[in-house]
Amino acid sequence: MSTTDELPTDSTPEPGTAPDPDGETAATPPDGTPGGEPEDRAEEPRAEDRETQDPQDTRGAQGDTSTPASSRESSPAARPERRDAFETLEAFHSSVAQQGNAYTLNVGTSQPVEYQQMSLDAAETSRLHRLYQPAPHTTRMADTLAEHHLLVLVGLRGSGRETTGRVLLADQCGGDRVGVLHGEESARLTQALMEKGGRRLERGHGVRVNLGTHSPGQNTLDVLRLRARERGAYVVLIVEDTRTDPGDLGPYAVHHRRPEDPAKVLAAHLGSALAEHRTHCADPGGCKRVAAQKFMDRVLADVRLTGTLAAAPSVHWIVRLAKDLVPHLHGPEDALDPLLDTPHGDLRSQARRFLRLSESGAEPAAPPSAATDPYHRALRITYVLGHDLPLSDVIRTGTLLGTEVLRAENRDTAPARPVFEADLDQLVPPGKGIAAEPGAGVTDNPRRARLADPEVMPAVVEVIWHDLPWLREPLVQWLRKLASDRLERVRARSAVIAGHLLRHDFDSVYRHLVKFWALGNSVADRRCAALAMAVAVAADDPWLTERVAKQLTDWAGSPNPQFQDSAARTYGTPVGTRDVPGTLHALQALGGRPALAPYASVAYSTAALFLTTGGAGPVAEALGRWIRSDNDNLPRHAVRSLLVLGPFAVGPELPSRPTLAQQAIADPGREETLLMLWQRALIDPAHSGQAWQLLRQWLLAADEDDELAEFLEKFVPRVFGPRLRTRAGFHLRRWARQHPEARTLHRLLRTLGEP
């Protein structure tokens, strides 16, 4: 057993001690063979177990054990004698207490350290073995244990590593020969196994030892492996994955993760719990196997289960969920709602613990000093708010948030070199309910921030805004900077965060952030304003929906061009798609103003309405009105809508046919509108280049669709007319040379009389 810091620090070693392979001092314990029979303890010590004590050293075991320690220490005539280690322990007021399959050793100190080794129940081991769902790399773990007689599982608490160790030992030794070794000092547990040549290890038996966060040295593992092989025993050490790299522990260590499919864990334990319930059910007539199977199928098919299991803090939590589900077997279907719906209060409490605003469940402090704490908290916040973004974006934007936080705290300029001094996996530990465990999903390249439950993100936004009021101003300034980022995905995320903030404090967030975007000279800012409004409306809060609609009406009626453009862009989001006819009238009013002539916002919003269910008909009618309008601004927006909608196909059944062409084929009135749109598009200098390229795509697609080809061969010559015939001949001949196999193009050339 390791006796480094707890024993006296005198450089002279204690009597009966041997040097620890890692440079520590190990006290020689009594024979630790389970059962500890008296004749085993009284046997003559072997040569390698006997130590010669310095005659001048009076700190060890001295004289007869029946003499009080105080009188022996005061007697200069007392001289040490060679004694069995058991007697030495008695001299230090220690004891060996037999407890059936367990025994306790109290190492000789004034405050003894207790170790307890006990056998695990064979029936329970068999049950766990039957229900066990293999963790990743289980085969490698089993091979390592079989080859070296030693396995180190490095994993997070709650990943099922205890069960994995128990199952692997049962495979090697049998379910009735598996035990565990407990102790108050985890650092000494490996030494406890190696005492007296490893005689605490029994041939054909396995022992599991949880070392907590203590990571043993390579020399210790090598000696423990040797002892286990000599004794014919098997050892599984469990090390908590904090800063431990399995590669530092040699060939014995394997990283332990949760089972890749938590639903299989739930299914296995739910099936077992249901079978157990059926044997004790008070209503055996109504508790049939078929009913239990239907209940199990219904639970596993519930769409809410995926999010619930992804956010599970541990494998044990999933096992407990299986047991909690069983009492609802004979209840109504909605009885499962409290178990499968994650209450908002729970998410909020989880967010508070994650941000270290609550003592309950708080994690060990990761920041090395209070001075750098704002940066670490900023990175933790940014990780959650950056769900599904590459980690490079998270770290870069987290640095920006940390800068704003320090600037707000110091009321001064931020440091010139803001850096993080902690491991990201320490600040946001994976597999603990916030960050998803690595490898749980598809392999990411680049690696991304993954939340176990994406609904944690809105909860963190609420906690930041209401429970960290000093962070409001830095957060707003940070979001403004993100809206100007070079990457569209980062700009969009700033708008999403702002939308969640609008749900909790509309007036303040609108006044200090969204209004700033809506009035921005940058198109990117106005896009952010529109997206933030859309996210707010997605909450399905009637009051909030009405408030957003009123604000949108104010934007549309404002004389400010930026407000008008922001309104037009917002109409293309779910804010406007809920009422397609009403939104089209609002877009027509906006499109008729000269202020929006330079922008394509009306066209893109019109396209969004067109693609909604039931929106194609009303949009086609609106385009017919716009293209025939006397207001020159509306035909321009109609042409832009044609260019935006032109590439969209009917669907998987007709992947080559444009939707606008399909409408014209089915309705002669729509054909006339499409004719006017194409003629205006091909002539307008601002859009003719795009229009000719779109027409080429339609003609090439017609080779895959005979009905479309027949329509275009009659429709396109009408589009050209006398005014465009010369220009059309030029483009068609050039396209025919580039695509000699294009049949529709060549037939159209012959129709136009071109060579």
Side-chain angles (χ1 to χ4, degrees):
M1 302 170 203
S2 173
T3 57
T4 51
D5 298 331
E6 294 78 0
L7 295 184
T9 56
D10 194 303
S11 59
T12 306
E14 290 289 345
T17 64
D20 172 57
D22 288 330
E24 300 175 342
T25 302
T28 304
D31 187 332
T33 306
E37 297 298 333
E39 57 268 26
D40 293 337
R41 297 197 303 270
E43 67 177 358
E44 179 67 16
R46 298 179 300 173
E48 61 267 27
D49 296 330
R50 293 195 295 265
E51 298 287 346
T52 302
Q53 185 177 10
D54 188 339
Q56 302 301 320
D57 190 349
T58 60
R59 296 174 299 145
Q62 303 181 27
D64 192 331
T65 56
S66 62
T67 305
S70 58
S71 64
R72 294 198 306 272
E73 291 172 354
S74 62
S75 173
R79 290 292 184 267
E81 299 179 6
R82 295 180 180 176
R83 297 195 174 275
D84 186 272
F86 177 63
E87 294 181 295
T88 304
L89 288 176
E90 285 189 323
F92 277 90
H93 314 287
S94 300
S95 64
V96 176
Q98 299 186 43
Q99 302 174 4
N101 287 331
Y103 62 85
T104 300
L105 288 86
N106 295 331
V107 178
T109 60
S110 58
Q111 294 182 340
V113 179
E114 182 179 279
Y115 298 99
Q116 188 178 60
Q117 185 168 332
M118 59 189 303
S119 298
L120 296 176
D121 181 70
E124 177 65 12
T125 299
S126 177
R127 188 186 73 86
L128 290 176
H129 197 290
R130 185 177 66 257
L131 300 177
Y132 177 70
Q133 298 300 312
H137 312 301
T138 302
T139 302
R140 179 186 167 196
M141 299 174 192
D143 293 343
T144 300
L145 181 62
E147 178 182 357
H148 299 291
H149 288 243
L150 172 64
L151 172 65
V152 183
L153 295 180
V154 181
L156 293 170
R157 187 181 307 171
S159 62
R161 53 198 185 159
E162 302 272 357
T163 302
T164 297
R166 186 170 182 173
V167 168
L168 293 175
L169 288 172
D171 285 338
Q172 289 293 333
C173 310
D176 59 342
R177 294 188 173 191
V178 179
V180 293
L181 178 65
H182 298 285
E184 296 176 358
E185 298 291 338
S186 60
R188 297 185 179 186
L189 290 174
T190 52
Q191 296 299 316
L193 290 174
M194 295 188 294
E195 296 294 346
K196 299 192 69 171
R199 283 164 56 186
R200 194 163 295 131
L201 299 170
E202 291 188 80
R203 182 170 299 279
H205 284 68
V207 59
R208 187 188 67 195
V209 185
N210 192 329
L211 299 180
T213 58
H214 172 69
S215 181
Q218 184 65 54
N219 290 340
T220 299
L221 294 178
D222 290 339
V223 174
L224 181 56
R225 166 187 173 273
L226 179 62
R227 294 286 185 264
R229 288 179 65 90
E230 289 176 346
R231 304 291 295 181
Y234 294 88
V235 178
V236 172
L237 303 180
I238 295 176
V239 177
E240 186 167 345
D241 183 7
T242 53
R243 298 181 182 274
T244 301
D245 184 350
D248 296 337
L249 302 179
Y252 321 114
V254 180
H255 196 100
H256 187 279
R257 294 188 175 95
R258 294 188 188 188
E260 294 181 351
D261 189 355
K264 291 183 178 180
V265 178
L266 180 68
H269 287 271
L270 180 58
S272 175
L274 287 172
E276 178 69 17
H277 168 80
R278 292 182 60 248
T279 61
H280 301 91
C281 183
D283 183 17
C287 193
K288 299 183 181 299
R289 185 188 302 273
V290 175
Q293 185 61 47
K294 288 183 178 180
F295 174 79
M296 184 172 173
D297 293 341
R298 177 161 59 90
V299 170
L300 297 178
D302 197 299
V303 295
R304 296 169 294 178
L305 189 64
T306 301
T308 301
L309 294 181
S314 66
V315 176
H316 176 71
W317 187 92
I318 298 175
V319 175
R320 190 173 68 246
L321 174 64
K323 295 180 180 179
D324 293 341
L325 287 168
V326 171
H328 302 286
L329 170 62
H330 305 299
E333 291 190 7
D334 58 2
L336 297 176
D337 293 347
L339 293 175
L340 299 181
D341 288 333
T342 304
H344 180 70
D346 289 351
L347 289 174
R348 195 173 186 278
S349 299
Q350 189 178 20
R352 285 182 57 85
R353 289 193 297 270
F354 176 68
L355 296 177
R356 297 179 182 168
L357 300 180
S358 171
E359 293 298 325
S360 176
E363 301 171 23
S369 66
T372 57
D373 182 70
Y375 277 118
H376 295 93
R377 177 166 286 179
L379 186 56
R380 292 165 71 90
I381 291 173
T382 309
Y383 187 97
V384 175
L385 301 185
H387 169 63
D388 210 32
L389 291 178
L391 284 184
S392 57
D393 293 345
V394 171
I395 294 174
R396 180 169 59 86
T397 56
T399 302
L400 293 177
L401 180 58
T403 300
E404 293 298 329
V405 169
L406 276 188
R407 182 179 287 115
E409 284 193 343
N410 300 332
R411 306 299 177 188
D412 200 351
T413 58
R417 185 174 176 268
V419 294
F420 296 106
E421 299 294 343
D423 185 355
L424 183 60
D425 286 340
Q426 299 304 312
L427 293 174
V428 192
K432 290 192 174 182
I434 296 292
E437 191 164 354
V442 297
T443 301
D444 290 329
N445 186 7
R447 183 181 169 190
R448 297 176 181 272
R450 298 285 191 189
L451 297 181
D453 184 358
E455 291 302 318
V456 173
M457 176 184 166
V460 168
V461 170
E462 180 188 359
V463 168
I464 293 172
W465 194 254
H466 291 304
D467 297 350
L468 295 173
W470 59 270
L471 193 55
R472 288 187 177 185
E473 182 179 348
L475 185 65
V476 168
Q477 295 301 324
W478 178 64
L479 292 175
R480 287 186 179 184
K481 287 185 176 181
L482 295 191
S484 302
D485 195 87
R486 65 182 184 274
L487 298 176
E488 173 63 28
R489 60 177 180 259
V490 175
R491 297 195 296 267
R493 183 53 53 89
S494 67
V496 170
I497 297 170
H500 286 296
L501 289 173
L502 286 173
R503 299 179 181 182
H504 304 295
D505 191 352
F506 185 92
D507 292 336
S508 178
V509 175
Y510 173 78
R511 183 170 58 253
H512 293 103
L513 183 59
V514 178
K515 183 180 179 180
F516 171 86
W517 286 338
L519 282 173
N521 292 325
S522 168
V523 171
D525 283 346
R526 300 197 289 274
R527 287 175 181 165
C528 286
L531 181 55
M533 290 295 205
V535 173
V537 167
D540 288 328
D541 182 340
W543 178 89
L544 189 58
T545 301
E546 183 180 354
R547 183 70 178 84
V548 170
K550 181 180 182 302
Q551 191 60 65
L552 186 55
T553 302
D554 291 344
W555 285 358
S558 171
N560 187 290
Q562 283 77 25
F563 270 148
Q564 294 179 28
D565 186 59
S566 296
R569 296 179 188 280
T570 307
Y571 280 128
T573 70
V575 177
T577 56
R578 299 184 177 195
D579 179 15
V580 174
T583 301
L584 284 170
H585 285 295
L587 286 174
Q588 181 171 328
L590 282 170
R593 301 180 186 180
L596 292 186
Y599 305 114
S601 51
V602 172
Y604 279 106
S605 293
T606 302
L609 297 175
F610 183 89
L611 297 174
T612 60
T613 302
V619 169
E621 294 176 2
L623 292 179
R625 294 193 303 268
W626 296 359
I627 196 63
R628 294 176 175 88
S629 174
D630 295 333
N631 185 326
D632 193 53
N633 294 311
L634 285 175
R636 184 174 301 165
H637 292 297
V639 168
R640 289 171 179 163
S641 299
L642 166 69
L643 299 178
V644 174
L645 288 170
F648 288 99
V650 173
E653 67 280 5
L654 292 171
S656 301
R657 185 177 302 181
T659 304
L660 292 176
Q662 172 63 25
Q663 287 185 331
I665 292 173
D667 187 342
R670 302 278 172 82
E671 182 179 351
E672 293 304 314
T673 296
L674 185 62
L675 177 66
M676 298 178 68
L677 288 170
W678 271 113
Q679 288 176 338
R680 178 69 182 251
L682 295 174
I683 292 174
D684 191 340
H687 306 294
S688 61
Q690 293 174 276
W692 284 106
Q693 292 302 317
L694 178 61
L695 181 60
R696 184 184 69 161
Q697 295 174 16
W698 279 30
L699 294 175
L700 293 176
D703 287 342
E704 306 296 329
D705 187 335
D706 293 339
E707 187 177 2
L708 176 62
E710 182 181 356
F711 168 76
L712 292 180
E713 288 175 20
K714 297 177 181 178
F715 176 77
V716 172
R718 295 181 59 201
V719 172
F720 293 156
R723 187 175 181 183
L724 289 171
R725 185 173 292 274
T726 301
R727 191 182 307 178
F730 167 77
H731 285 291
L732 291 176
R733 287 192 301 271
R734 182 165 60 89
W735 296 341
R737 290 193 299 269
Q738 294 173 347
H739 306 280
E741 75 287 352
R743 300 185 304 275
T744 306
L745 270 174
H746 288 283
R747 287 198 298 267
L748 191 56
L749 278 171
R750 289 194 295 270
T751 301
L752 296 175
E754 295 289 339

